[in-house]
mmCIF file of all heavy atoms in Angstrom:
data_model
loop_
_atom_site.group_PDB
_atom_site.id
_atom_site.type_symbol
_atom_site.label_atom_id
_atom_site.label_comp_id
_atom_site.label_asym_id
_atom_site.label_seq_id
_atom_site.Cartn_x
_atom_site.Cartn_y
_atom_site.Cartn_z
ATOM 1 N N GLU E 1 -39.408 22.310 53.817
ATOM 2 C CA GLU E 1 -38.516 21.428 53.066
ATOM 3 C C GLU E 1 -37.051 21.716 53.382
ATOM 4 O O GLU E 1 -36.189 21.699 52.512
ATOM 5 C CB GLU E 1 -38.784 21.582 51.566
ATOM 6 C CG GLU E 1 -40.164 21.159 51.121
ATOM 7 C CD GLU E 1 -40.418 19.647 51.206
ATOM 8 O OE1 GLU E 1 -39.485 18.891 51.564
ATOM 9 O OE2 GLU E 1 -41.559 19.221 50.927
ATOM 10 N N GLY E 2 -36.760 21.939 54.671
ATOM 11 C CA GLY E 2 -35.383 22.200 55.073
ATOM 12 C C GLY E 2 -34.426 21.083 54.729
ATOM 13 O O GLY E 2 -33.219 21.302 54.590
ATOM 14 N N GLN E 3 -34.949 19.878 54.568
ATOM 15 C CA GLN E 3 -34.094 18.741 54.216
ATOM 16 C C GLN E 3 -33.364 18.966 52.885
ATOM 17 O O GLN E 3 -32.302 18.371 52.649
ATOM 18 C CB GLN E 3 -34.926 17.453 54.162
ATOM 19 C CG GLN E 3 -36.223 17.515 53.365
ATOM 20 C CD GLN E 3 -36.065 17.338 51.874
ATOM 21 O OE1 GLN E 3 -35.091 16.729 51.434
ATOM 22 N NE2 GLN E 3 -37.011 17.830 51.104
ATOM 23 N N LEU E 4 -33.910 19.828 52.011
ATOM 24 C CA LEU E 4 -33.227 20.109 50.747
ATOM 25 C C LEU E 4 -31.849 20.723 50.959
ATOM 26 O O LEU E 4 -30.949 20.551 50.132
ATOM 27 C CB LEU E 4 -34.081 21.056 49.898
ATOM 28 C CG LEU E 4 -35.333 20.466 49.246
ATOM 29 C CD1 LEU E 4 -36.217 21.572 48.687
ATOM 30 C CD2 LEU E 4 -34.952 19.479 48.159
ATOM 31 N N LEU E 5 -31.684 21.428 52.064
ATOM 32 C CA LEU E 5 -30.425 22.113 52.326
ATOM 33 C C LEU E 5 -29.331 21.162 52.784
ATOM 34 O O LEU E 5 -28.159 21.534 52.820
ATOM 35 C CB LEU E 5 -30.636 23.211 53.370
ATOM 36 C CG LEU E 5 -31.716 24.234 53.030
ATOM 37 C CD1 LEU E 5 -31.856 25.258 54.151
ATOM 38 C CD2 LEU E 5 -31.410 24.934 51.710
ATOM 39 N N THR E 6 -29.694 19.937 53.130
ATOM 40 C CA THR E 6 -28.699 18.968 53.590
ATOM 41 C C THR E 6 -28.129 18.135 52.444
ATOM 42 O O THR E 6 -27.188 17.367 52.653
ATOM 43 C CB THR E 6 -29.315 18.015 54.635
ATOM 44 O OG1 THR E 6 -30.292 17.165 53.993
ATOM 45 C CG2 THR E 6 -29.976 18.790 55.757
ATOM 46 N N LYS E 7 -28.692 18.275 51.254
ATOM 47 C CA LYS E 7 -28.234 17.467 50.126
ATOM 48 C C LYS E 7 -26.899 17.990 49.601
ATOM 49 O O LYS E 7 -26.591 19.177 49.710
ATOM 50 C CB LYS E 7 -29.265 17.495 48.988
ATOM 51 C CG LYS E 7 -30.689 17.150 49.415
ATOM 52 C CD LYS E 7 -30.793 15.762 50.012
ATOM 53 C CE LYS E 7 -32.242 15.429 50.359
ATOM 54 N NZ LYS E 7 -32.372 14.123 51.057
ATOM 55 N N THR E 8 -26.107 17.093 49.017
ATOM 56 C CA THR E 8 -24.845 17.499 48.405
ATOM 57 C C THR E 8 -25.120 18.360 47.179
ATOM 58 O O THR E 8 -25.906 17.996 46.315
ATOM 59 C CB THR E 8 -24.026 16.266 47.978
ATOM 60 O OG1 THR E 8 -23.768 15.461 49.126
ATOM 61 C CG2 THR E 8 -22.707 16.676 47.340
ATOM 62 N N PHE E 9 -24.478 19.526 47.120
ATOM 63 C CA PHE E 9 -24.633 20.404 45.971
ATOM 64 C C PHE E 9 -23.690 19.946 44.866
ATOM 65 O O PHE E 9 -22.524 19.635 45.110
ATOM 66 C CB PHE E 9 -24.343 21.852 46.356
ATOM 67 C CG PHE E 9 -25.343 22.431 47.319
ATOM 68 C CD1 PHE E 9 -24.990 23.501 48.137
ATOM 69 C CD2 PHE E 9 -26.627 21.935 47.401
ATOM 70 C CE1 PHE E 9 -25.892 24.049 49.019
ATOM 71 C CE2 PHE E 9 -27.552 22.481 48.286
ATOM 72 C CZ PHE E 9 -27.180 23.543 49.098
ATOM 73 N N LYS E 10 -24.205 19.959 43.629
ATOM 74 C CA LYS E 10 -23.442 19.412 42.517
ATOM 75 C C LYS E 10 -23.447 20.355 41.327
ATOM 76 O O LYS E 10 -24.248 21.280 41.235
ATOM 77 C CB LYS E 10 -24.019 18.051 42.097
ATOM 78 C CG LYS E 10 -23.988 17.003 43.195
ATOM 79 C CD LYS E 10 -24.627 15.692 42.732
ATOM 80 C CE LYS E 10 -24.667 14.667 43.857
ATOM 81 N NZ LYS E 10 -25.302 13.398 43.421
ATOM 82 N N GLY E 11 -22.539 20.061 40.382
ATOM 83 C CA GLY E 11 -22.449 20.833 39.150
ATOM 84 C C GLY E 11 -22.423 19.919 37.938
ATOM 85 O O GLY E 11 -23.015 18.829 37.942
ATOM 86 N N MET E 12 -21.726 20.352 36.886
ATOM 87 C CA MET E 12 -21.670 19.617 35.623
ATOM 88 C C MET E 12 -21.168 18.186 35.797
ATOM 89 O O MET E 12 -20.434 17.880 36.742
ATOM 90 C CB MET E 12 -20.739 20.327 34.638
ATOM 91 C CG MET E 12 -21.260 21.592 34.041
ATOM 92 S SD MET E 12 -20.021 22.224 32.852
ATOM 93 C CE MET E 12 -20.787 23.771 32.387
ATOM 94 N N TYR E 13 -21.539 17.342 34.853
ATOM 95 C CA TYR E 13 -21.063 15.956 34.811
ATOM 96 C C TYR E 13 -19.866 15.848 33.871
ATOM 97 O O TYR E 13 -19.897 16.375 32.758
ATOM 98 C CB TYR E 13 -22.165 15.016 34.334
ATOM 99 C CG TYR E 13 -21.678 13.590 34.148
ATOM 100 C CD1 TYR E 13 -21.657 12.695 35.217
ATOM 101 C CD2 TYR E 13 -21.212 13.160 32.906
ATOM 102 C CE1 TYR E 13 -21.175 11.401 35.052
ATOM 103 C CE2 TYR E 13 -20.731 11.872 32.732
ATOM 104 C CZ TYR E 13 -20.717 10.991 33.815
ATOM 105 O OH TYR E 13 -20.233 9.710 33.658
ATOM 106 N N PHE E 14 -18.827 15.166 34.326
ATOM 107 C CA PHE E 14 -17.674 14.818 33.501
ATOM 108 C C PHE E 14 -17.350 13.343 33.721
ATOM 109 O O PHE E 14 -17.343 12.880 34.874
ATOM 110 C CB PHE E 14 -16.452 15.670 33.858
ATOM 111 C CG PHE E 14 -16.616 17.131 33.562
ATOM 112 C CD1 PHE E 14 -16.967 18.025 34.567
ATOM 113 C CD2 PHE E 14 -16.424 17.615 32.287
ATOM 114 C CE1 PHE E 14 -17.131 19.367 34.294
ATOM 115 C CE2 PHE E 14 -16.582 18.967 31.999
ATOM 116 C CZ PHE E 14 -16.938 19.845 33.009
ATOM 117 N N PRO E 15 -17.068 12.593 32.663
ATOM 118 C CA PRO E 15 -16.776 11.163 32.834
ATOM 119 C C PRO E 15 -15.410 10.875 33.442
ATOM 120 O O PRO E 15 -15.103 9.716 33.743
ATOM 121 C CB PRO E 15 -16.865 10.616 31.402
ATOM 122 C CG PRO E 15 -16.610 11.787 30.513
ATOM 123 C CD PRO E 15 -17.175 12.974 31.245
ATOM 124 N N GLY E 16 -14.592 11.889 33.647
ATOM 125 C CA GLY E 16 -13.283 11.699 34.258
ATOM 126 C C GLY E 16 -12.305 12.717 33.728
ATOM 127 O O GLY E 16 -12.683 13.682 33.036
ATOM 128 N N PRO E 17 -10.997 12.548 34.015
ATOM 129 C CA PRO E 17 -9.991 13.453 33.457
ATOM 130 C C PRO E 17 -10.022 13.415 31.929
ATOM 131 O O PRO E 17 -10.371 12.403 31.328
ATOM 132 C CB PRO E 17 -8.671 12.899 33.997
ATOM 133 C CG PRO E 17 -9.051 12.053 35.170
ATOM 134 C CD PRO E 17 -10.408 11.499 34.853
ATOM 135 N N GLY E 18 -9.678 14.537 31.312
ATOM 136 C CA GLY E 18 -9.665 14.570 29.851
ATOM 137 C C GLY E 18 -9.803 15.972 29.313
ATOM 138 O O GLY E 18 -9.872 16.953 30.062
ATOM 139 N N ASN E 19 -9.861 16.065 27.990
ATOM 140 C CA ASN E 19 -10.025 17.332 27.287
ATOM 141 C C ASN E 19 -11.489 17.502 26.886
ATOM 142 O O ASN E 19 -12.093 16.574 26.333
ATOM 143 C CB ASN E 19 -9.154 17.369 26.040
ATOM 144 C CG ASN E 19 -7.671 17.261 26.359
ATOM 145 O OD1 ASN E 19 -7.268 17.419 27.506
ATOM 146 N ND2 ASN E 19 -6.855 16.990 25.352
ATOM 147 N N TYR E 20 -12.049 18.684 27.119
ATOM 148 C CA TYR E 20 -13.486 18.897 26.893
ATOM 149 C C TYR E 20 -13.722 20.131 26.025
ATOM 150 O O TYR E 20 -13.283 21.240 26.347
ATOM 151 C CB TYR E 20 -14.219 19.036 28.222
ATOM 152 C CG TYR E 20 -14.192 17.750 29.016
ATOM 153 C CD1 TYR E 20 -13.227 17.535 30.002
ATOM 154 C CD2 TYR E 20 -15.104 16.737 28.746
ATOM 155 C CE1 TYR E 20 -13.193 16.335 30.708
ATOM 156 C CE2 TYR E 20 -15.073 15.536 29.451
ATOM 157 C CZ TYR E 20 -14.116 15.346 30.425
ATOM 158 O OH TYR E 20 -14.082 14.147 31.115
ATOM 159 N N ASP E 21 -14.424 19.898 24.915
ATOM 160 C CA ASP E 21 -14.896 20.958 24.037
ATOM 161 C C ASP E 21 -16.344 21.242 24.442
ATOM 162 O O ASP E 21 -17.274 20.583 23.980
ATOM 163 C CB ASP E 21 -14.804 20.498 22.576
ATOM 164 C CG ASP E 21 -15.335 21.528 21.589
ATOM 165 O OD1 ASP E 21 -15.728 22.633 22.029
ATOM 166 O OD2 ASP E 21 -15.383 21.218 20.377
ATOM 167 N N LEU E 22 -16.533 22.201 25.299
ATOM 168 C CA LEU E 22 -17.836 22.410 25.928
ATOM 169 C C LEU E 22 -18.903 22.874 24.946
ATOM 170 O O LEU E 22 -20.083 22.564 25.126
ATOM 171 C CB LEU E 22 -17.702 23.415 27.071
ATOM 172 C CG LEU E 22 -16.816 22.982 28.247
ATOM 173 C CD1 LEU E 22 -16.660 24.120 29.245
ATOM 174 C CD2 LEU E 22 -17.368 21.742 28.929
ATOM 175 N N ASP E 23 -18.519 23.631 23.937
ATOM 176 C CA ASP E 23 -19.516 24.151 22.999
ATOM 177 C C ASP E 23 -19.443 23.492 21.625
ATOM 178 O O ASP E 23 -20.114 23.935 20.680
ATOM 179 C CB ASP E 23 -19.409 25.668 22.863
ATOM 180 C CG ASP E 23 -18.007 26.137 22.479
ATOM 181 O OD1 ASP E 23 -17.135 25.271 22.242
ATOM 182 O OD2 ASP E 23 -17.795 27.361 22.420
ATOM 183 N N LYS E 24 -18.613 22.433 21.494
ATOM 184 C CA LYS E 24 -18.528 21.641 20.257
ATOM 185 C C LYS E 24 -18.178 22.497 19.033
ATOM 186 O O LYS E 24 -18.727 22.319 17.951
ATOM 187 C CB LYS E 24 -19.845 20.896 20.008
ATOM 188 C CG LYS E 24 -20.266 19.947 21.112
ATOM 189 C CD LYS E 24 -19.258 18.850 21.347
ATOM 190 C CE LYS E 24 -19.722 17.882 22.429
ATOM 191 N NZ LYS E 24 -18.705 16.871 22.766
ATOM 192 N N ASN E 25 -17.228 23.410 19.240
ATOM 193 C CA ASN E 25 -16.781 24.228 18.113
ATOM 194 C C ASN E 25 -15.419 23.795 17.594
ATOM 195 O O ASN E 25 -14.793 24.489 16.790
ATOM 196 C CB ASN E 25 -16.754 25.707 18.498
ATOM 197 C CG ASN E 25 -15.681 26.019 19.536
ATOM 198 O OD1 ASN E 25 -15.068 25.113 20.117
ATOM 199 N ND2 ASN E 25 -15.458 27.301 19.781
ATOM 200 N N GLY E 26 -14.938 22.639 18.075
ATOM 201 C CA GLY E 26 -13.670 22.100 17.606
ATOM 202 C C GLY E 26 -12.461 22.541 18.404
ATOM 203 O O GLY E 26 -11.341 22.126 18.108
#
């Protein structure tokens, strides 16, 4: 399954620029 290594590696999703409360503690 070497083709897996050619895929774009990704991380978290964000809808765009802005302020983010990652743990919802205010």
